[in-house]
Amino acid sequence: MKESGMRWTFLRDSFYQDLMPHLAGQDGVIRGPAGEGRFVPVARADVARSAAAVLADPAEHAGATYELTGPQSLDMADVARILSGAGGKQILFHNETIEEAYASRAVFGAPDWQLDAWVSTYTAIASDAMSQVGNHVEIITGTPPMSLGEFLRTAG
């Protein structure tokens, strides 16, 4: 893309906040090999606001790469605590081994590539590769991004 001669702007979204409530099973436990790794989930509304601002003035953002994150670096225990506070149901995090993660997801009968994707979501978090809070949402839009707690309160 960069070598094509076309103008470009890259928006690199973190994990979406709206997926967080769906991580817990029926028993209220989030399971995965995330350890104490951290990540910075972002609200899709903040991504949309950022994309709209870039599209409204593409020349201003040409050649830029933006990391779109929320305002908080969280681990899965933090996510469980925030979900518990917002939903009135206790949510816990259980750190699985990689082998346990594959075994617990195999019951869904998904193809291997999908199992790999599910498990790698957690191993990516464990690696801390997505742990840095960015300020690009605010730079682009002039408004700070929503926290997970704010998102859950407004998502109704």
Side-chain angles (χ1 to χ4, degrees):
M1 181 67 92
K2 290 180 179 180
E3 296 171 7
S4 72
M6 295 180 2
R7 286 186 178 181
W8 53 267
T9 304
F10 295 131
L11 302 178
R12 294 174 38 143
D13 310 353
S14 186
F15 287 121
Y16 296 123
Q17 292 175 357
D18 62 306
L19 299 177
M20 298 302 108
H22 303 289
L23 296 178
Q26 294 288 345
D27 60 357
V29 178
I30 299 171
R31 290 180 172 79
E36 294 179 6
R38 303 185 80 74
F39 68 115
V40 189
V42 65
R44 287 186 203 222
D46 289 327
V47 171
R49 289 185 312 107
S50 299
V54 168
L55 291 170
D57 191 1
E60 174 71 20
H61 304 282
T65 299
Y66 295 117
E67 304 291 335
L68 303 181
T69 73
Q72 302 166 288
S73 186
L74 306 170
D75 63 21
M76 278 298 173
D78 294 327
V79 171
R81 179 183 43 76
I82 293 167
L83 291 173
S84 294
K89 175 184 175 186
Q90 184 175 13
I91 305 293
L92 301 172
F93 170 62
H94 171 71
N95 185 43
E96 292 180 311
T97 66
I98 291 175
E99 293 77 20
E100 289 172 329
Y102 275 99
S104 68
R105 286 152 180 84
V107 300
F108 296 109
D112 287 346
W113 68 263
Q114 192 166 14
L115 293 175
D116 291 340
W118 288 341
V119 173
S120 69
T121 297
Y122 292 93
T123 58
I125 292 168
S127 78
D128 278 334
M130 298 170 290
S131 64
Q132 296 299 310
V133 174
N135 62 353
H136 289 156
V137 169
E138 187 167 5
I139 288 171
I140 296 168
T141 68
T143 305
M146 283 187 269
S147 68
L148 178 57
E150 291 168 329
F151 167 77
L152 294 169
R153 284 189 295 279
T154 61

